[in-house]
């Protein structure tokens, strides 16, 4: 999922000096309209001492207003404001779930219509359950009305039998069709990526690596076919000029993941 940058709002980013200058201009204009001598407004004058603290307060309130305004939009909300969006969408935060991970789930929910219980619905429902890291589903694995959901835990390791049983009970509550449903621990399919990056001067490599890892994990989620060329486009995050020596599982071929397995990324980045 592409990152949406917070919009710049110049009208709400005035400095105390800018605000005070507008006040001084208004006093000068009013005095001229009355035929009076404009008052002294330079630093050290009485009007400066009276009005500059007010300009500082207005500047701070503008920053708070900008922050409050942006909390009304899901891509930029955080903390308890993000939780409020979750209440509206009917998707609570998982225990100890970070803002960015929770935001991605909420945006996915907002962009996706609730289904009637097909493969993609079961995968999404399973990922929304506390303790589940990822999920993949197979339809008609055993017969025409069967669907098997394979899950990992929050550390993206194969789920325990206990967690699989808990998830199965919760998915059966959401089930809208008479599927023969089973939830099982997923196998792990390692996706090993090695790449050498050309970075813009001054860019922090760890921040770039985190951004790339986030984009690749979003791409891998729910996919059974990993396309080498598509994966390469995910290296271009802010600060990356070019890349070389890119391999996918030690080669340059596309990869197919077994239906009962979930991808786990092993990313090695050099410069």
């Amino acid at each position: 999922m592409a990152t949406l940058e917070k919009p710049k709002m110049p009208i709400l980013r005035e400095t105390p000096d800018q605000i005070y200058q507008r006040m001084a201009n208004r006093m000068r204009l009013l005095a001229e309209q009355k035929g009076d001598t404009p008052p002294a407004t330079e630093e050290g004058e009485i009007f400066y001492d009276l009005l500059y603290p007010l300009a500082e307060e207005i500047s701070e309130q503008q920053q708070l207003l900008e922050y409050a305004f942006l909390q009304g939009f899901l891509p930029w909300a955080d903390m308890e404001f993000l939780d409020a969006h979750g209440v509206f969408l009917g998707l609570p935060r998982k225990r100890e779930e970070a803002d960015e991970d929770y935001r991605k789930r909420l945006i996915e929910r907002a962009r996706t219509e609730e289904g009637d219980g097909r493969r993609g619905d079961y995968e999404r429902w399973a990922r929304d359950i506390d303790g589940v890291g990822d999920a993949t589903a197979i339809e008609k694995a055993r017969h025409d009305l069967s669907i098997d959901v394979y899950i990992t835990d929050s550390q993206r390791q194969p789920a325990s039998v206990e967690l699989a049983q808990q998830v199965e009970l919760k998915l059966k509550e959401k089930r809208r069709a008479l599927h023969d449903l089973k939830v099982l621990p997923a196998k792990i399919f390692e996706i090993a990526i090695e790449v050498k990056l050309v970075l813009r001067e001054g860019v922090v490599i760890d921040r770039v690596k985190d951004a790339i890892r986030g984009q690749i994990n979003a791409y891998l989620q729910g996919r059974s076919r990993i396309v080498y060329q598509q994966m390469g486009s995910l290296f271009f995050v802010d600060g990356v000029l070019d890349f070389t020596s890119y391999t996918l599982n030690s080669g340059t071929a596309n990869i197919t993941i077994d239906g009962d397995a979930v991808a786990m990324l092993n990313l090695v980045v050099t410069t």
Side-chain angles (χ1 to χ4, degrees), residues 25-44:
N25 292 343
R26 287 177 182 271
M27 287 191 294
R28 185 177 298 108
L29 178 61
L30 182 60
E32 290 173 352
Q33 290 174 345
K34 291 182 176 181
D36 296 334
T37 301
T41 56
E42 293 76 13
E43 186 174 355

Side-chain angles (χ1 to χ4, degrees), residues 81-252:
F81 300 100
L82 190 59
D83 290 327
H85 285 280
V87 171
F88 178 75
L89 292 171
L91 187 62
R93 186 193 296 260
K94 295 182 182 180
R95 188 166 47 248
E96 298 182 358
E97 185 173 23
D99 277 0
E100 287 307 313
D101 294 334
Y102 187 33
R103 180 180 293 105
K104 288 177 183 177
R105 290 201 302 119
L106 289 175
I107 290 176
E108 182 181 4
R109 167 62 65 86
R111 290 175 174 173
T112 306
E113 293 184 5
E114 188 78 357
D116 290 326
R118 307 307 297 173
R119 171 186 169 181
D121 299 318
Y122 282 105
E123 291 175 346
R124 186 175 66 255
W125 292 338
R127 293 188 194 109
D128 288 343
I129 296 173
D130 195 25
V132 176
D134 204 352
T136 185
I138 301 178
E139 290 183 334
K140 303 180 181 180
R142 289 166 281 116
H143 51 76
D144 284 347
L145 290 178
S146 70
I147 185 162
D148 293 347
V149 184
Y150 297 88
I151 63 171
T152 67
D153 61 20
S154 58
Q155 304 301 315
R156 293 188 177 273
Q157 297 299 312
S160 65
V161 174
E162 291 77 15
L163 177 59
Q165 292 174 344
Q166 293 171 14
V167 172
E168 183 173 314
L169 289 175
K170 292 183 178 180
L171 291 186
K172 284 181 176 178
E173 294 175 359
K174 297 182 71 69
R175 179 175 51 178
R176 299 182 184 179
L178 297 177
H179 291 124
D180 179 11
L181 172 67
K182 286 189 176 182
V183 178
L184 305 162
K187 298 177 182 177
I188 300 299
F189 190 100
E190 184 178 59
I191 300 295
I193 294 177
E194 295 187 18
V195 63
K196 184 176 182 179
L197 301 179
V198 179
L199 302 180
R200 190 174 64 240
E201 186 176 354
V203 172
V204 179
I205 181 62
D206 288 343
R207 188 170 300 173
V208 167
K209 187 175 180 179
D210 288 344
I212 292 174
R213 182 182 290 107
Q215 290 201 153
I216 293 177
N217 278 329
Y219 172 84
L220 293 176
Q221 195 171 69
R223 288 183 182 269
S224 59
R225 182 170 172 78
I226 310 303
V227 180
Y228 175 84
Q229 294 294 343
Q230 290 179 345
M231 189 77 77
S233 66
L234 302 178
F235 301 139
F236 286 105
V237 300
D238 186 34
V240 176
L241 301 177
D242 201 356
F243 67 89
T244 60
S245 306
Y246 157 46
T247 60
L248 175 61
N249 281 19
S250 302
T252 58

Side-chain angles (χ1 to χ4, degrees), residues 24-71:
N25 292 343
R26 287 177 182 271
M27 287 191 294
R28 185 177 298 108
L29 178 61
L30 182 60
E32 290 173 352
Q33 290 174 345
K34 291 182 176 181
D36 296 334
T37 301
T41 56
E42 293 76 13
E43 186 174 355
E45 299 292 343
I46 186 171
F47 279 112
Y48 184 93
D49 293 341
L50 287 172
L51 296 180
Y52 195 83
L54 181 59
E56 291 179 312
E57 178 64 23
I58 293 173
S59 178
E60 291 177 6
Q61 291 301 318
Q62 286 181 343
Q63 295 175 45
L64 291 173
L65 178 59
E66 178 182 303
Y67 175 78
F69 177 78
L70 291 175
Q71 297 311 302

